[in-house]
Amino acid sequence: MLYKSIRFKITLAFSTVFSLIFLFSGFIIYQNIKGNIINSDNQELISRGQVIASKTDISPVVIPLANNDEMIKIDYINEKTTRNLFTSIDFPTILKIQTPFSVIDLPDKRLALVETSLNDSSSEKIRVFVTKSNTLLKKEINILFYILFLSNISSIIIASLISYFLAGFLLKPINNIIKTARTITASPKMEFIQVFETNDEIQMLSETINDMLKRIENSLNEQNNFFASASHELKTPLTILKTEIEVNLKNTYLNNEFKSFLSSQLEEINRLNRLIEDFLLISQLNNKSLTLRLKKESLDEIIFEVIRKVKNILNLSGLKLNLELSEEIDDFNINCDKDKLISVFINLVENAIKYASKETEIKIIIKEDNINNQFIIEIINKIDNPINNIEKLTDQFYRSDVLKNGYGLGLWISNKLITLHNGNMIFIQENGEFIVRVFQKRNISDKNSLDIL
């Protein structure tokens, strides 16, 4: 979300600080200019009172005329008495006499008091009260407020926009790092982030991430090399053990109990061989060094071979297997690596046997999709309980039931191999059944072999 981004936070922080500074400085400017306007108006009003006082005389009495927007009150003051010489109609009541040469604000007027000596005599004075409307002054102050307010708001908006685009420009290298990092996947040969010689934190971040990626790359290579080396080293002794047991099983002098023991050992050796093959496949898949040797093969023969290989496991489980071939298929030929596909379907059928309900039937159905030029192979088994996190079944080392035997590799390897054959695999559970559906293209290449780089 935008409001959670660093760009937004930088813009918000900058705009907040900028707004506080601008509003505070705007307030100071407003108060200063407002004070200057009021002082100027005060001086103008006092000067007008002085003019009126200078034109006033008491012998004979001379009273100057007030302007249209003015009201005046003129008093004569001596040591003994104060006498009013003139007061304009509706002149406001003065509750308190202010000091001379000062101005007070009334609700809708401003009033100034001026006192001047008469004929250079300090004992005789003329006191003049003069008022005028404060409408113009208020208007000027309001205009000043709106001008400063709008200019501050405009400045804040412009500064926020500039800071937003500036933050985007400054964060562009980080965004490039993020985009590049999203495309990087764990592999023996990893991509690295481009480093620019800027001598700043961005360069340090790029170099740090590249160092981390290099460590991950080294760890993956060491892990894959270990898998490959261990697999090769273990295959030889297991092959020797398997051969010796098979030879001994053909010995007619061995009693049935010992033959049963050897058969059990042979089954465990075969299981270890399959596990080693899985480790070798993992190493090849992770190193992207797996070579598919593609040839034209018959899909039905591949499935028959799979059934033959799982026959013993199927018999021990007490399950039945039903193979259905669509009568509409007249050509089962596909271009594939036969050994790899056999390994895939053995994994899928063994998985179905492992999780199927007791004394039920496993179905293998082969259909044809002429529109997409592909076969659809379904492996169906009954299940006692729904499988959680079905979307994770192709994750490496994931097991839906930790109590079952296995290492969480079969479905991951199968999915990888099907993908390399230009097919795809999905899982469905409905009506108490678990369905593995494989979509396999008829032909993926005209070459005899394909190196997966």
Side-chain angles (χ1 to χ4, degrees):
M1 294 184 179
L2 177 63
Y3 70 89
K4 291 185 178 180
S5 65
I6 295 178
R7 184 179 186 181
F8 176 82
K9 292 176 182 177
I10 291 175
T11 303
L12 181 62
F14 181 83
S15 300
T16 301
V17 173
F18 192 82
S19 300
L20 292 174
I21 294 173
F22 247 70
L23 292 176
F24 179 75
S25 60
F27 176 76
I28 299 299
I29 293 172
Y30 170 74
Q31 292 295 333
N32 288 336
I33 297 177
K34 177 183 176 182
N36 291 335
I37 292 174
I38 293 175
N39 289 334
S40 176
D41 191 75
N42 290 347
Q43 292 300 321
E44 181 181 347
L45 194 56
I46 290 172
S47 296
R48 177 58 182 163
Q50 289 175 328
V51 170
I52 294 173
S54 66
K55 293 181 178 181
T56 301
D57 203 349
I58 61 169
S59 182
V61 175
V62 177
I63 304 298
L65 295 175
N67 293 332
N68 293 333
D69 61 340
E70 291 178 344
M71 289 188 291
I72 60 176
K73 177 182 178 183
I74 303 174
D75 294 333
Y76 167 72
I77 304 174
N78 57 28
E79 294 178 348
K80 296 179 180 181
T81 184
T82 297
R83 179 164 58 95
N84 178 252
L85 299 179
F86 177 80
T87 301
S88 298
I89 299 174
D90 297 329
F91 190 86
T93 302
I94 304 172
L95 299 178
K96 182 179 179 181
I97 302 298
Q98 71 270 32
T99 58
F101 301 101
S102 63
V103 179
I104 62 172
D105 288 299
L106 303 176
D108 57 348
K109 292 179 176 58
R110 308 197 77 227
L111 183 146
L113 168 62
V114 175
E115 289 185 0
T116 59
S117 298
L118 188 62
N119 299 325
D120 297 328
S121 173
S122 59
S123 60
E124 293 181 308
K125 296 180 179 180
I126 297 295
R127 175 186 290 168
V128 176
F129 293 93
V130 57
T131 71
K132 73 171 185 177
S133 174
N134 60 7
T135 303
L136 182 60
L137 178 64
K138 288 183 177 179
K139 185 177 181 180
E140 288 180 358
I141 293 175
N142 287 336
I143 291 174
L144 171 66
F145 174 80
Y146 287 121
I147 289 175
L148 289 176
F149 178 78
L150 292 176
S151 63
N152 283 344
I153 294 299
S154 301
S155 299
I156 291 170
I157 293 173
I158 293 172
S160 299
L161 292 174
I162 292 174
S163 64
Y164 181 79
F165 288 108
L166 185 61
F169 175 77
L170 295 175
L171 292 173
K172 188 175 181 180
I174 296 180
N175 290 329
N176 292 334
I177 292 174
I178 293 172
K179 290 179 181 178
T180 304
R182 283 176 176 171
T183 62
I184 296 173
T185 56
S187 64
K189 191 63 178 176
M190 300 184 68
E191 297 180 12
F192 294 95
I193 295 171
Q194 186 177 3
V195 179
F196 296 97
E197 296 293 335
T198 54
N199 297 319
D200 58 7
E201 288 81 358
I202 303 298
Q203 180 180 347
M204 293 175 60
L205 176 63
S206 301
E207 292 174 347
T208 302
I209 292 176
N210 283 340
D211 290 340
M212 178 189 68
L213 293 175
K214 186 65 178 177
R215 292 193 298 273
I216 294 174
E217 181 184 83
N218 292 336
S219 297
L220 287 173
N221 287 328
E222 290 175 0
Q223 178 183 345
N224 292 332
N225 290 336
F226 170 78
F227 277 143
S229 299
S231 299
H232 285 295
E233 291 296 327
L234 289 172
K235 282 179 70 70
T236 301
L238 286 175
T239 302
I240 294 172
L241 286 173
K242 180 180 178 182
T243 303
E244 290 178 348
I245 291 175
E246 288 175 341
V247 170
N248 282 305
L249 282 172
K250 294 178 181 179
N251 190 339
T252 57
Y253 296 103
L254 293 178
N255 59 49
N256 292 333
E257 183 178 352
F258 192 65
K259 281 186 176 182
S260 176
F261 170 75
L262 291 179
S263 297
S264 175
Q265 296 303 305
L266 182 61
E267 184 180 338
E268 291 300 316
I269 289 173
N270 287 332
R271 188 175 68 85
L272 285 173
N273 268 324
R274 288 196 299 271
L275 181 60
I276 290 170
E277 290 293 337
D278 286 345
F279 281 153
L280 189 58
L281 275 175
I282 290 174
S283 174
Q284 292 172 334
L285 289 170
N286 287 335
N287 283 319
K288 298 185 179 180
S289 60
L290 181 65
T291 299
L292 291 183
R293 304 191 181 281
L294 303 177
K295 292 172 59 179
K296 185 176 288 187
E297 303 286 352
S298 178
L299 180 60
D300 56 345
E301 291 182 3
I302 290 174
I303 299 300
F304 287 137
E305 179 69 15
V306 169
I307 294 173
R308 187 186 67 80
K309 288 181 178 292
V310 301
K311 184 177 180 180
N312 290 335
I313 302 175
L314 190 66
N315 291 335
L316 291 173
S317 67
L319 300 171
K320 295 181 180 180
L321 190 143
N322 183 16
L323 174 63
E324 296 180 12
L325 304 178
S326 174
E327 295 180 356
E328 299 177 356
I329 303 176
D330 54 6
D331 182 9
F332 283 92
N333 288 331
I334 59 173
N335 206 25
C336 68
D337 185 321
K338 182 178 180 179
D339 291 337
K340 298 296 186 296
L341 273 192
I342 288 176
S343 176
V344 166
F345 288 112
I346 286 176
N347 270 326
L348 296 180
V349 174
E350 286 184 346
N351 191 72
I353 293 172
K354 187 188 302 181
Y355 292 96
S357 302
K358 293 181 179 180
E359 299 180 356
T360 57
E361 182 182 72
I362 294 175
K363 294 181 182 179
I364 301 178
I365 302 174
I366 302 178
K367 299 182 285 189
E368 189 176 27
D369 181 2
N370 290 322
I371 297 176
N372 297 309
N373 190 34
Q374 64 184 2
F375 289 109
I376 301 175
I377 305 98
E378 291 183 345
I379 300 173
I380 306 171
N381 62 278
K382 294 283 186 179
I383 53 177
D384 295 322
N385 300 305
I387 297 175
N388 298 323
N389 301 319
I390 193 172
E391 70 282 354
K392 293 184 178 181
L393 290 178
T394 54
D395 290 355
Q396 194 172 8
F397 299 111
Y398 177 79
R399 290 189 293 166
S400 61
D401 187 350
V402 295
L403 299 179
K404 299 286 187 179
N405 292 330
Y407 301 93
L409 297 173
L411 292 180
W412 179 81
I413 293 173
S414 299
N415 185 59
K416 290 287 186 181
L417 292 176
I418 289 294
T419 302
L420 292 178
H421 277 84
N422 200 28
N424 64 298
M425 181 170 65
I426 62 173
F427 304 105
I428 303 168
Q429 54 179 341
E430 58 184 13
N431 301 324
E433 292 183 334
F434 182 77
I435 304 169
V436 180
R437 186 172 293 161
V438 178
F439 301 88
Q440 180 59 58
K441 293 288 185 182
R442 287 182 178 273
N443 299 297
I444 66 172
S445 175
D446 294 330
K447 298 179 182 180
N448 291 328
S449 67
L450 177 64
D451 291 336
I452 306 301
L453 303 177

